[in-house]
Amino acid sequence: NIEELERQFQEKIDNDIKIEPRDWMPDAYRDTLIRQISQHAHSEIVGMLPEGNWITRAPNLRRKAVLLAKVQDEAGHGLYLYSAAETLGADREETIDDLHSGKAKYSSIFNYPTLSWADMGAIGWLVDGAAIMNQVPLCRCSYGPYARAMVRVCKEESFHQRQGFEIMTTLANGTPEQKAMAQDALNRFWWPALMMFGPNDAESKHTEQSMRWKIKRQTNDELRQQFVDITVPQAEMIGLTIPDADLKFNTETGHYEFGEINWDEFWQVVKGNGPCNKDRVDARRKAKENGMWVREAAAAYAEKRANRNKE
Ligand code: ACO
């Protein structure tokens, strides 16, 4: 009976036994994973756009090669994650259509514009830094295919974070104009990076259940705090200022206290009203339309071959 199955399922989770695609799982567990993994996949794919914007304008060949590799990694992460969602029975095309119709969510961070080269540094340092903070615990996620995907993804994210910090370090040690450019990028990306971790725990509707199922291993607020604690000293090291007047180190707790996040802005961006939401979804939709002839030709060729083999 279902209660017994659920009990055995939770027991496996409690004993850190991975759940695999063919194992029994509650519908709600499956649905939560499909939701999270597909949102994650969309984030990787949409996440190629803000940085793709600068590939042709990278300041030198080395920077260009590195940025190109990073953006390609993100495409790989997206495809890997769509496959992980498929192991749960999700239909890849339907999932992608949900992104294109505006029904599916993806990370709020990718709805901000990339206005200068320094934004490539800020994104690598802060956005990929936040992504690693959130994804390292997902390597211990209870669902096997997702956890295993995260191991590889995190290795690549760590290269992304380093390349971003290296850009920021170079600019911060450059001319006054270059340093100002780095500071401006930090000013614009700091708060949106903190928003990546999602609403405060008290407002997060999925956290409690996802923690019980060990889909999430740490809460939104825990991860956000870790990110602030690690990142503030990095900014100090390169002589940049975090744009938060309330930021201070609490010597008793050993943590940084930080100002209030603008949650109104966050929900506006999540709902589709951020600065670039429309551009991002349009770009993805256009990419699918423009590539349609390739898929049609491939399908027609596959059909022709299949018929030939029958004869
Ligand atoms: N941007 C957009 N939507 C968000 C964000 C965000 N930064 N944070 C939370 N939300 C959405 C959730 O998806 C959820 O919406 P839904 O119920 O319609 O699906 C709602 O806000 C409530 O949030 P939570 O209850 O906290 O949702 P959840 O438990 O899923 O936690 C989190 C959100 C932390 C993002 C989680 O889904 C997660 O860890 N995902 C995997 C990592 C990921 O997707 N990273 C993407 C950015 S990193 C990168 O791509 C490089």
Side-chain angles (χ1 to χ4, degrees):
N1 71 20
I2 193 113
E3 270 165 29
E4 179 54 20
L5 284 170
E6 271 177 10
R7 198 195 55 75
Q8 286 171 5
F9 174 82
Q10 189 63 45
E11 199 173 272
K12 269 168 91 175
I13 303 251
D14 294 342
N15 289 318
D16 284 329
I17 297 171
K18 291 267 181 276
I19 307 300
E20 297 298 337
R22 286 161 191 272
D23 295 347
W24 185 89
M25 62 185 86
D27 289 345
Y29 176 84
R30 185 186 299 277
D31 292 346
T32 295
L33 277 168
I34 290 178
R35 178 186 63 79
Q36 178 168 325
I37 297 172
S38 61
Q39 287 176 358
H40 193 167
H42 298 327
S43 302
E44 299 283 357
I45 297 297
V46 175
M48 296 165 75
L49 297 170
E51 288 171 293
N53 183 32
W54 280 89
I55 290 173
T56 56
R57 290 176 286 167
N60 60 46
L61 184 61
R62 186 174 84 90
R63 294 288 185 207
K64 183 167 176 158
V66 171
L67 186 61
L68 200 56
K70 175 190 192 282
V71 173
Q72 284 178 343
D73 284 350
E74 278 151 16
H77 298 173
L79 299 181
Y80 218 32
L81 286 161
Y82 284 128
S83 298
E86 281 180 317
T87 66
L88 292 153
D91 182 288
R92 184 183 290 228
E93 285 308 306
E94 265 174 36
T95 309
I96 293 171
D97 288 343
D98 284 347
L99 171 70
H100 296 176
S101 71
K103 192 174 144 203
K105 290 195 172 75
Y106 58 88
S107 184
S108 50
I109 191 72
F110 302 118
N111 294 303
Y112 291 86
T114 44
L115 305 177
S116 78
W117 171 254
D119 291 8
M120 299 306 97
I123 290 182
W125 174 35
L126 303 173
V127 175
D128 292 277
I132 298 174
M133 198 56 84
N134 163 274
Q135 289 170 23
V136 164
L138 292 175
C139 298
R140 294 185 298 118
C141 166
S142 58
Y143 187 58
Y146 192 30
R148 291 188 289 271
M150 283 302 108
V151 174
R152 171 156 180 187
V153 167
C154 283
K155 284 186 188 158
E156 294 181 346
E157 295 290 2
S158 113
F159 147 62
H160 299 171
Q161 195 273 350
R162 275 150 196 256
Q163 67 88 36
F165 191 61
E166 197 225 349
I167 291 174
M168 288 305 259
T169 306
T170 305
L171 290 173
N173 290 321
T175 63
E177 288 82 1
Q178 286 172 322
K179 185 167 182 186
M181 208 161 92
Q183 182 63 53
D184 172 62
L186 170 58
N187 292 350
R188 284 180 290 106
F189 278 95
W190 175 253
W191 291 105
L194 296 193
M195 293 175 196
M196 285 176 70
F197 295 95
N200 285 136
D201 293 349
E203 310 294 325
S204 161
K205 60 178 186 251
H206 302 297
T207 292
E208 200 185 325
Q209 181 61 69
S210 289
M211 294 284 287
R212 213 173 303 131
W213 278 331
K214 296 190 183 169
I215 290 175
K216 286 168 94 163
R217 307 298 306 246
Q218 282 181 293
T219 71
N220 300 358
D221 285 331
E222 284 167 3
L223 293 170
R224 188 168 15 243
Q225 184 66 53
Q226 283 176 27
F227 175 76
V228 172
D229 288 345
I230 283 191
T231 311
V232 173
Q234 293 173 346
E236 281 167 5
M237 202 167 89
I238 57 175
L240 296 181
T241 310
I242 302 286
D244 178 356
D246 297 323
L247 187 74
K248 57 173 186 292
F249 189 69
N250 183 326
T251 45
E252 266 168 41
T253 61
H255 294 294
Y256 283 92
E257 290 167 4
F258 51 95
E260 176 71 10
I261 289 170
N262 183 343
W263 292 114
D264 183 47
E265 174 183 323
F266 171 74
W267 289 115
Q268 282 300 328
V269 176
V270 172
K271 272 192 257 160
N273 305 322
C276 300
N277 294 60
K278 194 178 167 311
D279 290 353
R280 301 297 186 231
V281 174
D282 282 353
R284 291 312 312 157
R285 208 184 295 127
K286 248 190 234 133
K288 180 162 181 177
E289 283 162 15
N290 290 342
M292 200 66 92
W293 68 274
V294 178
R295 287 190 294 281
E296 280 170 4
Y301 180 66
E303 200 186 323
K304 206 164 110 186
R305 275 184 67 140
N307 286 339
R308 200 185 301 146
N309 290 342
K310 267 190 229 149
E311 279 162 14

